[in-house]
Amino acid sequence: MITARISQAPMSGYQWLIVALCTFMNCLDGFDVMAVAFTGPSVTDAFGLSGSEFGLLVSVGLIGMAIGSMLLAPSPTSSAGVR
């Protein structure tokens, strides 16, 4: 009954807003990786980095983003009411 109603109802403006926000946030998420790849040669030249040093720099940045997202995201247990 509920699934039939959901599949027959059109998406509301609020739902389209959520889809648009998710799409925008996904674009922002990919922007940092694209910016590092685009500026890589300039950064390597400016700081005199070798290819492996630049690779380490990019890797540390991605590891930092992963750790930050795990620390800043709400815990799954917090939404379930577990203390």
Side-chain angles (χ1 to χ4, degrees), residues 6-31:
I6 291 173
S7 64
Q8 292 175 355
M11 285 187 51
S12 68
Y14 180 72
Q15 290 171 318
W16 282 113
L17 174 66
I18 296 300
V19 169
L21 284 174
C22 290
T23 303
F24 178 69
M25 294 304 292
N26 196 18
C27 291
L28 284 181
D29 184 45
F31 177 77

Side-chain angles (χ1 to χ4, degrees), residues 47-70:
F47 291 100
L49 300 175
S50 67
S52 61
E53 290 171 331
F54 181 71
L56 179 64
L57 180 68
V58 172
S59 298
V60 169
L62 292 173
I63 291 169
M65 285 189 286
I67 291 171
S69 68
M70 287 187 281

Side-chain angles (χ1 to χ4, degrees), residues 35-49 54:
V36 169
F38 182 74
T39 60
S42 300
V43 171
T44 302
D45 292 340
F47 291 100
L49 300 175
F54 181 71

